[in-house]
Each structure stands twice: as structure tokens, then as C-alpha cells.
Amino acid sequence: METTYLIFVIILFILAISDLVVGVSNDAVNFLNSAVGAKVARHTVIMLVAAAGVFVGASCSNGMMEVARKGIFNPQYFTFADVMVIYMGVMLTDIILLDSFNRLGMPTSTTVSIVFEIMGGALAMAVVKIHNNPEAMSMADYINSASALKIIGAILISVVVAFTTGAIVQWIVRYLMTFNLDLNVKRFGSIYGGIAITAITYFILIKGLHGSVFAVPDANGNPTKYMVFLEWVGHNKSMFLLGCFVGWAVITQLCVWFFKMQIMKVVVLAGTFALALAFAGNDLVNFIGVPIAAFNSFQLFKATGDTSMLMSGLSGKVDSNVMFLIVAGAVMVLTLWFSKKARAVIKTGIDLARQGDGEERFGASNLARVIVRSSSNMSKSFGSVFPAKVKSSIARRFDATEYNKSIENMEEPPAFDLLRASVNLIVASLLISFASSLKLPLSTTYVTFMVAMGTSLADKAWGRESAVFRITGVFSVIGGWFLTAFIALAVSFLFANLINWGGLVAVLILFALAIFSLLRSQKSKTLEEDEVEEIDEDTLNELDLFKRKIRKNLEKVRALYLDTTIALTHEEHRKLHKLSDKSNDLYDNAKILKNETYKTAKNMDESMFEAALYHVQTLDYLRGAAHSLNYIASSCFKHVANNHKPLTEEQKQNLVNVSAMNNEFLIKAVDMIEKRNFDDIATVKALQLETLRLIKESTKVQVKTMKQNNMSSKATLLYLNFLQETKNMLVQVLNLVKFQRDADKAAVL
């Protein structure tokens, strides 16, 4: 029996390492968004600063999560066997859940996930105990539901307070500083730097080191110097903050005078370090708290060897193991450097806060449309109250024209400026510090994300072109937060029951499932990256890049069309599903290229403008070809998935013949574009006409057959639609080739 539970502990620590990886990938958005979005420094510098904060925070962390031991359930009423089942279900759920959110590029709260996973597991075991013993205690005695209610309340508080505060502070600061930072930082830089770094310093002291070893009494129960200092700060807060402000203001001014230091960059990097430190110091326990609690339970069990012993020992104080903390810190730092999923989560936050236009990740929802329309009407109503001079003055302070001009020619312009990045960090730091001083459990994820959304709104980043999509995105993320709680509770409840019923066998099966999920996710990501062709963009002008993208997408149209035909004739359901998804992605990519056309044309020299006009039309034809492919692939998948009757052998053979000719046509078209040699366009046109003739004959034969045999099956309809969309594709592609030829001629002239 002891060996079985030792295996449980080993598996839990293996899961802890995996959980650290997926957890850091999700939470990196909290402290990297502002620095990465504003491009405050080289990527290496940003990562070094964040890594330093993470490692210091992890090494100093108290390392034991109270909620894992006694915050959600009362361990004195559960046996050793019960708590091991709870902890195993929690860790397995946490990895699968967080990895799923990372795969979608959606930030969520690791605190909320772990709390509700523990609650789900504890509920499962409480139900078992009540079911097996009618005289057992009530559910309220086993579960500490007050903690869960505080977490749910914290979500609502975080969303409203953080968004509102971020918007108000950003509006005030932007009005005072405008987008002309070079001039205004010289005037007010020391004052702003003093306020900002004071806020960050206070944040580090109150929140960053809150869960550290410095905040724990020594072996004799005496308070540490840090605890004494914090007590003094609590009694003399105004004096402390004023002293910090004066000191930092003087230091920043001296740095500007003598070292020409850019205060805004210092503020953003300092804020990044502070949030990274606070994340590691406080949220580390979300990942290793459960395995450590399980390890402590196993130590208590070894003393007696009785699996039915109650875990009253978990209610007391448990010291941290420094080696666990150092190893965890190292894993977090390595994940921060190498995790590609972290970049996807960061990209979601940056895209929603982006100042400029671009492809919006989220679609439009009716609720978002109503909110935007109502807000626009309210703005007009309020605007009519203010005098024209006041509105004109405000408009000038928020005019970003010159700033946009200064970054439009950058290869990778920042998503927003340093002022907004610094406000994001300062407001988030102050709110989290204030909440911590009041013992309110505000989530770092919720605060940092919603502050960034509030500042982007105040900075007019959500214009009429993007507001509906951005609001939909925010609602999607917030909805994911609430969904996290319910999914975490339900899945953990299920896993705990399975483990309680199946024992070690169930644990090994679920463990294999979690590892499979991680490996599949990584493999999927790797395949996506392998498909991306490396392009040395420095050696190509805008038109060459355009041509390269068009050629790549047209090649994908060819390959997907051929694969879809083969998969349909063999009724390969899974393959058709993948091909349908890929064709949909290709169509979306064609739309993105179309939306980028205006930006590309804007950056071109006047001598290239006529060629750019041809490229605009070329993209329309590419989009048309991708649309036809998408319709074919999705129709084929639905037909086979719905288990409709297959095509006749004659229909299959005709599609194979049409597909072969279309494939030859597309190969020559792609080759012609790649070599930029259109002398043989007559051959391509002849291939198109021959394929169109075959389609016409096949359609005519099918219509006659339908009349003679009164055929009206879904298979026949699919067959005819397949031929029609292939015809449309042939027309679109030949027009694309012609316009590419004309674009090349215009570029030469």
C-alpha cells in the first residue's frame, strides 16, 4: 500500500513540473504584456528582467499554499486516502485545463482554476463519505464554501474596478502628457518617475514579498525585520510614500541630467520586474502547493502506515523546502524563455490593446454592437453639453497623428507607447497592493488584463473600426474566466471519483491522458511552425513579399484540393475533417492578406503604386479561389460525416480526372508566378479551357442521368457543387495569373 501512494507522490511531482510549464505559459501575460507591447527594449533584455523577477520571487516564496491544505476543505475530516485522491484529481485537471486555454491563446486565472479544482475534488470525496455513512457530517462541515464565494466576488470586483481605474488614470495622464512624450518627459519626467517608481516599490514590499520567507516568523516565533518594517509602514504610510516619492524624483532627475536616461523605459522595466516577482512569489503555490501538500500528507502517513488516519496535521504550519523552491524557479525561468504558448497568450492581450489597426482576432457579437452603438450615442449627447473650445482642446491633447507617423515605417511598430505601458504597470501594482493590504483576494490576471483594456479604451485605441471586435474579445476572455471555475470544478469532481473507484489503474490512465494532451498540443504547434516558410524580409520589397505570399497560398490551394478529392473518393472522415479546417484557415489567411493591402500600398513608393493596384485585384482572385476550396472541403466533410450515400464509381472517376487536370493547371500557374515568367501563359489558358470542357461534359452527363433515373440524392448534389466550385476556382486562378503578369509589367515600367 505504501508503494502505491509513493507512486502517487512521484506522479504528483512530475505533474507539478508540467503544471509549472503550462501555468507560466498562461500567466506570463500578467507581467510581459506592457513591456512587449511597447517594445521597451530588445526581447532579450525584457526576458532577462522578467526572468530575474521570477527567480527571485520563486526562491523567496514561502512555497506552501494554505488553500491547498485547508483553505477550501477541512482536512481534519478527511483521511490520508481521501486527500491523495483529491490532490491527484486536482493536478490532472489543472494541467489539461490550463493547456487547453494556452492552446487557444486565452489568459485565465491559475488561482481560480486551482481553487475550484480543489473544491471539485473535495466535493467528490465528501459525497462518497456521506453516501457510505448516513450518519456522517453535512456537506458544509467538509467544505469551506466561503473561500469560493470570495473568489467569485473577487472576479467581479477585479473586472469592474480594474477596468474603470485604468481608463480614468490613463485619460488623466494622457491629457497631461499627450503623445508628445519627448517634450513632456523633459518637463515632468522626474515627477512622473517619482510617482511611478514609488508605486512599484510599495507594490514589491506589500504584494511582491508578501508570500516570501521574509514574511514568516523565525523558529522562535519572533517577527523578522521585514515584518517589523511592514508594521512601521502600515502606521506611517503617508510619511513612507512621501519620502519614497521625493527620493525617487531626485534620483530620476539626476539620471536624466547626467546619464540621459529614458525614465519611461526604466519605469516599464521596473514594473515588469515587480509583477514577475509578485507572480512567482505568490502564484508559484498554485503549481507546487498541491504536490507539496501531498508530500506532507505522505510523511504523516509513513509515521503510522494507516491510510484511514485523519489529516489533522495539515491544519498546522508546514515549513518550506528551499530546494523545491529553487528547482521550481529554474523551471519557471526556462519556460519563460522557451514557451511558444506563452507568446500566443501574450499576443491575445496585446492585440486587444493595440493602438493601430490590423487584423482582429475576434469576431463581432450582437452584445458588443449594442454596447458600441449605445456608447456612441451617449458620447454624442455628452459632447453636445461641452463648448466647442473645450472639445477642441481635449482632441488636441489626444491627437496621435504625429506619433503614428513616427512609427509607421518601423518594421515591427509597438502596439502602444511607453506612457500607456507604464500606466498599465503602475495602476495594476497599486490596485493589487491596495487589495492585499485589505486582505481582498484580487486576481493578478484579472487586474492586469482589465487595466490594460481600460487604458486602451481611454487612449482611443478602440475606434469605430475595431471597437466591436475588441469588446467581443474582452467578453470572450471574461467568459473564459467564469468558465474556468465551472469546468475546473466539474472535471476535478469527475477525476476524483474515477480515481477513488479505479485506484492506481485510473491514475495511470488519466496520467497518460494528460501527457498525451500535452504532447499532442506541442506536436500541433510544431506542425504549424513547420508549415511557415522562412523569409528574409530584409532582402525583399513589399511587392516581392506580396508575390511570395500569393504563391505560397496558391500552392496550398492546389495541395488541399487534390487531397480533398482523394479523401472524398475513399470516404476518409478524419482526413476530410482536417482538410476542412485547413481550408478554412487558408480562407481566413486570404482575408488577412486582403486587409493588409491598404497598409502595404500606403508604404509603397509612388513609382510602385500602379503595380500595387494590380496586387489588390490579385488578392481578390486569391480570396475567391480559397472560398471555392473552402466550400468544397467543408461540403465533402459534412457529407461523409453525416454518413450519406457515397458517390457512384463513375462520379468518383470523373472527379479524379477533373482533379488531375486542375492540379496540372495549378502547378503551372504557381511555377509561372514563382519564376516571374509569363511567356507560356497560353499553355496555362489552354489547360484551363480543357478542364472547363471536361467539367461541362461531366455536368451534362450527370443532368441527363438524373432525368432518366429520377435521381435527386445528396451525393449527386455534392458532385455537381464540387464541379461548379472547381469551375469557379479555375476562372479565379487564371485571372490571378493575368493580373500578376500585369503587376510585374507595371513594376518594371
Side-chain angles (χ1 to χ4, degrees):
M1 184 61 70
E2 182 176 332
T3 303
T4 299
Y5 285 110
L6 179 60
I7 294 173
F8 274 35
V9 173
I10 293 172
I11 290 176
L12 280 170
F13 274 101
I14 294 173
L15 291 174
I17 296 174
S18 301
D19 205 30
L20 278 168
V21 173
V22 295
V24 173
S25 298
N26 188 281
D27 278 6
V29 65
N30 295 342
F31 50 88
L32 286 177
N33 262 15
S34 294
V36 173
K39 298 192 181 299
V40 66
R42 295 194 305 272
H43 183 72
T44 304
V45 175
I46 295 173
M47 296 303 290
L48 282 173
V49 170
V54 166
F55 192 75
V56 171
S59 301
C60 296
S61 173
N62 189 32
M64 188 63 239
M65 189 168 110
E66 293 295 315
V67 72
R69 293 189 288 114
K70 58 183 180 180
I72 299 299
F73 66 96
N74 298 312
Q76 63 270 27
Y77 301 136
F78 289 89
T79 66
F80 168 70
D82 294 335
V83 297
M84 291 302 288
V85 169
I86 292 171
Y87 291 147
M88 187 62 71
V90 166
M91 291 303 293
L92 288 166
T93 302
D94 203 51
I95 287 177
I96 295 174
L97 181 64
L98 291 180
D99 184 62
S100 299
F101 273 90
N102 291 347
R103 202 181 310 169
L104 296 171
M106 298 283 281
T108 191
S109 172
T110 53
T111 302
V112 169
S113 63
I114 204 76
V115 164
F116 279 89
E117 284 155 6
I118 292 172
M119 174 168 280
L123 278 172
M125 296 314 299
V127 168
V128 170
K129 295 176 80 68
I130 293 172
H131 175 74
N132 293 337
N133 183 10
E135 297 180 0
M137 296 178 294
S138 66
M139 186 70 71
D141 294 318
Y142 290 108
I143 307 299
N144 185 358
S145 56
S147 294
L149 293 176
K150 285 179 68 176
I151 293 293
I152 294 173
I155 296 177
L156 300 174
I157 293 172
S158 301
V159 169
V160 177
V161 174
F163 183 83
T164 305
T165 307
I168 293 172
V169 173
Q170 177 64 29
W171 194 95
I172 294 172
V173 173
R174 180 64 74 190
Y175 181 82
L176 295 174
M177 303 286 282
T178 72
F179 280 91
N180 189 0
L181 295 186
D182 292 337
L183 175 63
N184 288 308
V185 167
K186 292 179 181 178
R187 294 175 178 174
F188 313 111
S190 60
I191 297 175
Y192 186 80
I195 295 173
I197 301 178
T198 296
I200 292 169
T201 303
Y202 185 71
F203 171 77
I204 292 176
L205 290 174
I206 300 300
K207 179 67 176 176
L209 299 176
H210 173 72
S212 71
V213 292
F214 306 116
V216 180
D218 60 22
N220 298 322
N222 299 319
T224 61
K225 292 181 179 180
Y226 170 73
M227 296 172 69
V228 174
F229 174 69
L230 273 190
E231 185 178 356
W232 180 86
V233 170
H235 294 304
N236 303 275
K237 189 179 297 182
S238 299
M239 183 187 301
F240 172 76
L241 292 176
L242 180 61
C244 277
F245 166 69
V246 173
W248 284 120
V250 171
I251 291 172
T252 52
Q253 188 60 58
L254 291 175
C255 289
V256 171
W257 283 344
F258 295 105
F259 302 106
K260 307 299 180 184
M261 188 177 291
Q262 293 181 285
I263 297 302
M264 289 295 182
K265 290 188 176 182
V266 174
V267 169
V268 174
L269 289 175
T272 300
F273 174 85
L275 280 176
L277 185 149
F279 154 72
N282 294 276
D283 288 1
L284 170 64
V285 289
N286 294 343
F287 315 124
I288 67 172
V290 168
I292 290 178
F295 180 68
N296 296 142
S297 302
F298 183 73
Q299 289 177 317
L300 294 172
F301 158 72
K302 280 188 68 177
T304 63
D306 183 10
T307 58
S308 62
M309 68 176 293
L310 296 175
M311 289 288 101
S312 302
L314 293 181
S315 301
K317 181 180 180 298
V318 180
D319 293 327
S320 306
N321 187 311
V322 177
M323 284 306 301
F324 286 157
L325 303 181
I326 292 175
V327 171
V331 172
M332 294 170 85
V333 169
L334 290 173
T335 301
L336 199 61
W337 274 94
F338 298 109
S339 174
K340 295 179 176 64
K341 292 177 182 176
R343 297 173 198 170
V345 179
I346 291 169
K347 188 176 184 301
T348 298
I350 292 176
D351 284 348
L352 289 173
R354 186 182 60 238
Q355 187 75 27
D357 295 327
E359 179 64 19
E360 299 294 340
R361 173 176 174 180
F362 295 91
S365 65
N366 290 329
L367 179 59
R369 293 187 182 110
V370 171
I371 291 175
V372 171
R373 192 175 297 110
S374 301
S375 300
S376 179
N377 293 335
M378 287 177 62
S379 177
K380 290 177 182 178
S381 300
F382 281 117
S384 62
V385 177
F386 294 97
K389 289 185 178 180
V390 174
K391 290 189 289 185
S392 177
S393 173
I394 294 174
R396 285 197 302 272
R397 306 295 291 181
F398 283 83
D399 186 9
T401 305
E402 292 302 319
Y403 170 75
N404 291 333
K405 286 182 179 179
S406 68
I407 65 171
E408 66 180 1
N409 293 323
M410 292 184 182
E411 185 176 341
E412 292 185 8
F416 40 80
D417 69 351
L418 290 169
L419 183 67
R420 174 134 61 99
S422 63
V423 171
N424 286 344
L425 294 165
I426 294 167
V427 173
S429 299
L430 286 175
L431 285 175
I432 296 168
S433 302
F434 180 69
S436 297
S437 66
L438 297 178
K439 310 296 183 184
L440 293 176
L442 288 189
S443 166
T444 306
T445 301
Y446 300 158
V447 171
T448 53
F449 180 82
M450 292 309 298
V451 165
M453 296 304 101
T455 57
S456 63
L457 175 66
D459 237 7
K460 299 183 182 294
W462 295 4
R464 295 189 65 169
E465 300 294 331
S466 61
V468 171
F469 308 109
R470 304 282 176 90
I471 291 173
T472 301
V474 172
F475 283 155
S476 298
V477 173
I478 294 174
W481 295 345
F482 285 97
L483 200 60
T484 299
F486 294 113
I487 294 176
L489 190 146
V491 176
S492 183
F493 182 89
L494 174 62
F495 281 6
N497 275 302
L498 290 175
I499 294 169
N500 183 60
W501 173 72
L504 181 60
V505 175
V507 168
L508 293 176
I509 292 173
L510 292 175
F511 177 67
L513 176 65
I515 298 302
F516 173 76
S517 176
L518 290 173
L519 293 176
R520 184 182 180 188
S521 173
Q522 187 61 39
K523 181 180 178 182
S524 174
K525 199 74 180 174
T526 303
L527 288 174
E528 289 177 12
E529 290 163 1
D530 289 344
E531 290 180 357
V532 178
E533 181 178 347
E534 293 294 332
I535 300 175
D536 184 4
E537 298 193 357
D538 293 335
T539 65
L540 300 175
N541 59 35
E542 295 288 352
L543 291 181
D544 288 332
L545 285 172
F546 237 1
K547 192 180 296 294
R548 182 76 61 94
K549 290 176 181 178
I550 289 170
R551 194 264 303 163
K552 278 180 57 182
N553 280 276
L554 196 58
E555 171 60 28
K556 288 181 180 179
V557 168
R558 183 200 66 77
L560 290 174
Y561 178 89
L562 185 62
D563 289 345
T564 300
T565 306
I566 296 171
L568 174 63
T569 57
H570 292 86
E571 293 191 278
E572 296 176 290
H573 169 259
R574 292 183 178 178
K575 189 173 182 180
L576 283 172
H577 191 185
K578 293 180 180 179
L579 291 169
S580 178
D581 289 342
K582 287 183 177 181
S583 66
N584 189 56
D585 291 341
L586 181 64
Y587 179 58
D588 289 340
N589 188 52
K591 289 194 291 185
I592 292 173
L593 286 175
K594 175 66 176 178
N595 293 335
E596 289 177 350
T597 303
Y598 303 102
K599 179 181 176 181
T600 304
K602 186 178 179 181
N603 294 332
M604 286 181 179
D605 296 332
E606 291 187 9
S607 59
M608 306 284 283
F609 190 70
E610 186 175 351
L613 293 178
Y614 283 112
H615 276 286
V616 171
Q617 187 61 53
T618 299
L619 286 172
D620 279 332
Y621 291 131
L622 175 63
R623 186 175 174 182
H627 180 269
S628 294
L629 171 67
N630 189 30
Y631 183 85
I632 289 171
S634 61
S635 298
C636 291
F637 165 65
K638 290 175 183 176
H639 182 89
V640 176
N642 292 335
N643 205 32
H644 295 315
K645 290 183 179 180
L647 303 181
T648 64
E649 292 302 319
E650 183 181 2
Q651 289 172 334
K652 290 179 182 178
Q653 188 58 51
N654 286 341
L655 287 186
V656 169
N657 294 338
V658 169
S659 180
M661 294 185 68
N662 184 50
N663 189 58
E664 185 180 355
F665 164 76
L666 289 172
I667 287 175
K668 289 190 176 296
V670 170
D671 184 65
M672 195 172 289
I673 293 172
E674 185 173 13
K675 293 179 179 178
R676 307 180 75 165
N677 184 352
F678 298 91
D679 294 340
D680 203 25
I681 196 170
T683 303
V684 175
K685 188 173 182 180
L687 271 172
Q688 185 222 37
L689 292 174
E690 182 64 20
T691 310
L692 289 174
R693 184 195 62 76
L694 179 58
I695 290 174
K696 184 177 180 181
E697 289 297 321
S698 299
T699 303
K700 187 183 296 183
V701 169
Q702 184 62 51
V703 171
K704 287 182 178 179
T705 305
M706 287 172 59
K707 287 184 176 181
Q708 294 172 359
N709 301 331
N710 294 319
M711 295 176 61
S712 182
S713 67
K714 294 185 181 297
T716 301
L717 184 61
L718 173 68
Y719 173 74
L720 292 174
N721 286 335
F722 196 114
L723 293 174
Q724 180 60 40
E725 291 300 331
T726 303
K727 177 181 176 182
N728 294 339
M729 184 189 297
L730 287 161
V731 173
Q732 299 284 352
V733 172
L734 184 61
N735 286 332
L736 184 153
V737 172
K738 290 179 179 178
F739 271 81
Q740 277 290 288
R741 176 196 60 189
D742 296 341
D744 272 12
K745 289 181 180 179
V748 172
L749 296 175

